[in-house]
Amino acid sequence: MRWLILSSLGRDSGCFLRAKYLGQALAANGEDVLVPTPVKSWPLFLDQLMNAWLYTIAVFRQRPRIVVSIKPYFSSGFPSLLARILFRAKTVCDVDDVDDGYRDGFMSRVARLQAAPWPRLAYRVSYHNANLRAHILKRYGVPESRLIRLPQGVDRTRFEARRVVNRGLTLVPRFVPAGAAFIATSAHLNIAADLIPIFDAMAILRDAAASGGNGATRRPIKLLLVIGGGPDEARFRAAVRERGLDLIVRFTGAMPPEDVAAILVHATLGV
């Protein structure tokens, strides 16, 4: 069976990671799978146009029987519709979140409008969070008979305890001084990552420790390690500099899931 898996967002997004992992799972099961690599995320959704063009080429290259779009956006929705018309492909639209909720004003309306038509045109619409069901039925007008809930899970073979712990012994010293207590938080650094309150909390801890107040503990936690990368990494680094937290907030950049777990297991506290 020929599959085409499309990430609606850029190659630096969690959306593309999910597309890749789905493609790998299907290929391991003997399926003929193509997962085109999109361009990196650009401002104002401009990457959508380039990716739509790349994916249209992929449609003619793969001539898929099944197309899966990760998120309902023009970049994947239009090529999916094309595959359905030209090759009678079955199309699946995966709705994993309400992306316009992370934006304000004009950009929120743009995100909402461009997502609107694609779920209704798909053969099936998948979702993971049960709270999204009513939203998909009402906002997108998708018939209930087309909805499929796919519970999310974890591939535990990636996180075998001894291997993860040993890997962490190598990774952690790259970012944290030996023996230091540290807080770790992992995130894809995009518009949905809400790190600013954590930075503000670190500023409070710093000030309390400096003054000897209630924030000072027997084993003060003086370091926050942000695990992950993404299109908004520069913005978060700037927020750290603005708060004067350069010495106590560090970034690892993008890492594979196994390395994220390897660092988290050694953290004093996880957020």
Side-chain angles (χ1 to χ4, degrees):
M1 184 76 72
R2 294 189 304 277
W3 293 70
L4 182 62
I5 314 296
L6 304 177
S7 168
S8 291
L9 303 182
R11 67 171 179 260
D12 52 348
S13 69
C15 185
F16 180 54
L17 277 180
R18 290 194 292 276
K20 283 201 303 184
Y21 291 151
L22 176 58
Q24 290 170 4
L26 290 168
N29 202 41
E31 302 290 343
D32 179 359
V33 184
L34 176 62
V35 184
T37 300
V39 299
K40 291 184 70 174
S41 302
W42 295 347
L44 303 175
F45 299 112
L46 293 177
D47 53 310
Q48 298 283 313
L49 298 175
M50 178 59 75
N51 288 332
W53 170 249
L54 294 174
Y55 294 163
T56 297
I57 295 173
V59 166
F60 286 97
R61 173 185 168 190
Q62 183 72 348
R63 295 176 174 263
R65 299 299 299 163
I66 301 177
V67 182
V68 179
S69 302
I70 311 297
K71 291 186 177 289
Y73 280 93
F74 171 79
S75 58
S76 61
F78 174 76
S80 296
L81 181 61
L82 190 64
R84 180 176 178 180
I85 293 171
L86 296 180
F87 304 116
R88 297 183 180 179
K90 302 294 186 184
T91 57
V92 179
C93 180
D94 183 72
V95 179
D96 75 323
D97 211 340
V98 184
D99 284 9
D100 56 272
Y102 296 113
R103 297 174 170 88
D104 298 315
F106 175 74
M107 292 307 297
S108 177
R109 291 193 294 273
V110 170
R112 181 170 181 168
L113 286 172
Q114 75 151 320
W118 310 115
R120 188 168 59 253
L121 294 172
Y123 176 73
R124 289 289 185 270
V125 175
S126 59
Y127 66 102
H128 317 288
N129 188 326
N131 294 325
L132 282 173
R133 180 178 175 277
H135 171 83
I136 295 170
L137 290 171
K138 182 178 180 180
R139 177 178 290 191
Y140 298 134
V142 177
E144 191 167 1
S145 59
R146 294 187 191 174
L147 293 183
I148 302 174
R149 185 184 177 200
L150 301 175
Q152 289 181 305
V154 174
D155 180 359
R156 290 186 295 177
T157 62
R158 290 178 176 266
F159 306 113
E160 188 274 324
R162 182 175 299 176
R163 184 172 68 247
V164 167
V165 170
N166 291 338
R167 176 64 174 158
L169 294 174
T170 302
L171 284 173
V172 171
R174 297 182 188 176
F175 309 102
V176 179
F182 70 101
I183 301 171
T185 186
S186 63
H188 178 236
L189 304 187
N190 64 2
I191 196 170
D194 193 14
L195 296 182
I196 301 302
I198 302 177
F199 297 159
D200 290 340
M202 288 301 297
I204 293 172
L205 282 176
R206 175 201 58 194
D207 296 343
S211 64
N214 292 333
T217 62
R218 292 182 180 178
R219 191 188 182 201
I221 300 176
K222 299 181 179 179
L223 181 67
L224 169 68
L225 187 60
V226 179
I227 310 170
D232 281 7
E233 182 174 339
R235 176 171 67 87
F236 287 122
R237 286 180 179 271
V240 166
R241 289 193 297 271
E242 290 169 3
R243 289 161 174 76
L245 298 172
D246 306 65
L247 298 179
I248 63 172
V249 178
R250 300 180 182 181
F251 294 80
T252 67
M255 307 187 89
E258 295 88 343
D259 288 354
V260 174
I263 293 177
L264 285 174
V265 78
H266 288 279
T268 310
L269 178 68
V271 179

